[in-house]
Amino acid sequence: MSDVIKTDVLIIGAGPCGLFAAFELGLLDMKAHFIDILDKVGGQCAELYPEKPIYDIPGIPQVSGQGLTEALMEQIKPFHPTFHLGEMVETLEKIGDPLFRCTTDAGKVFECKVVVIAAGGGSFQPKRPPVPGIEAYEGSSVHYSVRKMENFRDKNVLVVGGGDSALDWTLNLAPVASHLTLLHRRDQFRAAPDSVNKMMALVGEGRIDFVLGQVSALEGEGGQIKAALVKTNDGSNFSIACDALLPFFGLTMKLGPVANWGIEMREGELIPVDTGTFETNVPGIFAIGDINWYPGKLKLILSGFHEAALMAQKAYHYVFPGKRLIFQYTTSSSSLQKKLGVVG
Ligand SMILES: Cc1cc2nc3c(=O)[nH]c(=O)nc-3n(C[C@H](O)[C@H](O)[C@H](O)COP(=O)(O)OP(=O)(O)OC[C@H]3O[C@@H](n4cnc5c(N)ncnc54)[C@H](O)[C@@H]3O)c2cc1C
């Protein structure tokens, strides 16, 4: 077993609501670690609509999903939360009163006094392309994310898709791979125009190939792909040799392991909470943001911010039992301002 990481609070999910929770916890001197299955912070805002404007964040007339994520990261900087990205929380169990143990799919083990589940709609799962038998290659030579670029060094890589992920990984892996082909069903892209221009420049320099068509079948054995059969829009077929296939067809959200943690659930996918504290039926485990349910719940970012503030008030009593909590404003409390680093 790896060394146990101990913290006051473990936040599962680094979406906007989880991020703001680190601010409210930090103001009350609680240290937080984050775990998120994505390789970046921001949850739905960063993954599903980074460039779309949001118009209903109080006091901010307009901000993009990515802009809000960056502003939240700036706001929580004084509290130095630790991020464990690209890891999924698999198990969560109560081992004391209150003490929880949590493990991730990367083998990390955490112990904490408070758990905040801010897992939104669950984990983002890659959409699997409709290619017969693709499951047999998944995890060995078909990958839906790039965890380590080095794994693709000197490989013949086939990237499939026309969105940001497909284009970003084409650009990033082009210097690492022995050869790289980008395959997309049409010559229009959903990715950022700058990435498309850079990709086209690489094609122009002969450093990568761009091919129009769709994968219809795979060839290989023992989990190792050798070639992808491609069907073009005019119905003709040909084969592209490759050692690694990276399909980027977008993400869907699935609840994943949250359902197995022994917490009361509603309709199998939402966690009922007390609206005074946003605590679940298990003392010390809180649920904020899109994952929770209570009468009148609105799945809005502003609701999650409010929930985070009330959660922190109750969490304080688990982390500092018997210690009095004095309510203070950031505008007028020099002690809060010191924590924020705005006064000496
Ligand atoms: C297209 C679109 C537009 C939207 N526009 C608006 C808007 O204008 N205004 C507004 O208020 N809201 C809007 N929303 C909704 C808003 O994005 C959500 O309410 C908000 O993202 C919820 O935040 P969250 O932190 O609860 O969860 P999420 O943003 O869903 O983040 C949850 C995080 O938890 C992680 N996670 C889940 N399970 C695990 C696990 N087991 N282990 C580790 N990590 C895990 C996920 O990877 C994810 O990063 C919009 C949503 C969409 C899709």
Side-chain angles (χ1 to χ4, degrees):
M1 195 194 275
S2 58
D3 287 345
V4 173
I5 301 169
K6 296 192 175 179
T7 178
D8 294 332
V9 181
L10 186 68
I11 303 177
I12 303 173
C17 305
L19 291 178
F20 190 65
F23 181 81
E24 291 293 335
L25 291 163
L27 284 180
L28 305 183
D29 298 319
M30 289 175 272
K31 295 267 168 267
H33 278 242
F34 279 94
I35 305 173
D36 201 299
I37 193 169
L38 295 176
D39 58 5
K40 56 175 178 266
V41 300
Q44 294 175 46
C45 298
E47 190 65 29
L48 300 182
Y49 57 102
E51 292 181 348
K52 283 206 177 109
I54 309 171
Y55 299 100
D56 56 355
I57 302 299
I60 308 179
Q62 181 181 334
V63 64
S64 67
Q66 189 55 35
L68 178 66
T69 303
E70 283 164 15
L72 286 165
M73 289 298 281
E74 182 64 29
Q75 196 169 19
I76 65 177
K77 224 188 222 169
F79 304 117
H80 308 291
T82 309
F83 290 91
H84 306 265
L85 299 178
E87 292 185 40
M88 178 161 75
V89 175
E90 286 192 327
T91 67
L92 170 62
E93 57 177 327
K94 192 167 169 31
I95 56 166
D97 203 16
L99 195 62
F100 299 95
R101 182 181 291 133
C102 172
T103 62
T104 72
D105 60 350
K108 282 189 198 155
V109 181
F110 294 81
E111 278 180 16
C112 56
K113 293 184 182 140
V114 165
V115 174
V116 177
I117 304 176
S123 41
F124 294 87
Q125 308 272 342
K127 286 187 192 155
R128 178 182 275 154
V131 179
I134 192 167
E135 299 90 331
Y137 300 95
E138 287 172 353
S140 42
S141 55
V142 171
H143 304 275
Y144 297 105
S145 63
V146 176
R147 296 223 167 159
K148 247 180 144 182
M149 292 221 297
E150 271 310 300
N151 293 345
F152 298 93
R153 181 163 296 281
D154 300 329
K155 294 255 167 80
N156 188 356
V157 176
L158 176 61
V159 176
V160 188
D164 283 311
S165 297
L167 271 285
D168 286 352
W169 286 118
T170 295
L171 299 177
N172 282 308
L173 290 174
V176 175
S178 62
H179 183 262
L180 189 143
T181 307
L182 173 66
L183 176 73
H184 185 39
R185 65 195 152 85
R186 52 197 185 121
D187 59 3
Q188 281 159 341
F189 297 87
R190 281 172 288 108
D194 181 52
S195 307
V196 177
N197 291 340
K198 285 183 178 147
M199 182 275 291
M200 287 302 190
L202 289 179
V203 173
E205 291 160 17
R207 290 168 58 194
I208 63 169
D209 288 329
F210 171 56
V211 175
L212 283 172
Q214 298 183 61
V215 177
S216 58
L218 301 177
E219 277 175 10
E221 55 185 13
Q224 179 54 56
I225 189 172
K226 287 197 177 124
L229 299 179
V230 172
K231 194 173 183 177
T232 60
N233 294 344
D234 63 15
S236 57
N237 293 287
F238 62 94
S239 159
I240 298 181
C242 56
D243 320 308
L245 172 67
L246 300 174
F248 293 109
F249 283 37
L251 299 164
T252 53
M253 289 175 82
K254 292 217 176 90
L255 189 62
V258 179
N260 307 325
W261 295 341
I263 302 163
E264 188 192 330
M265 305 286 292
R266 181 187 162 89
E267 290 165 6
E269 51 184 44
L270 297 170
I271 304 178
V273 284
D274 174 314
T275 50
T277 57
F278 297 95
E279 197 165 18
T280 68
N281 69 315
V282 181
I285 301 185
F286 297 79
I288 61 168
D290 278 13
I291 190 95
N292 75 13
W293 180 88
Y294 50 88
K297 166 75 183 183
L298 289 178
K299 286 190 184 182
L300 284 176
I301 295 165
L302 67 86
S303 315
F305 288 174
H306 159 80
E307 294 159 12
L310 267 63
M311 170 281 294
Q313 298 284 312
K314 176 80 188 274
Y316 183 88
H317 297 291
Y318 290 117
V319 175
F320 306 112
K323 208 169 161 190
R324 212 170 128 231
L325 175 56
I326 301 160
F327 175 76
Q328 300 177 86
Y329 290 122
T330 54
T331 350
S332 41
S333 158
S334 55
S335 122
L336 292 185
Q337 288 166 5
K338 253 189 206 147
K339 293 177 201 177
L340 290 167
V342 289
V343 293

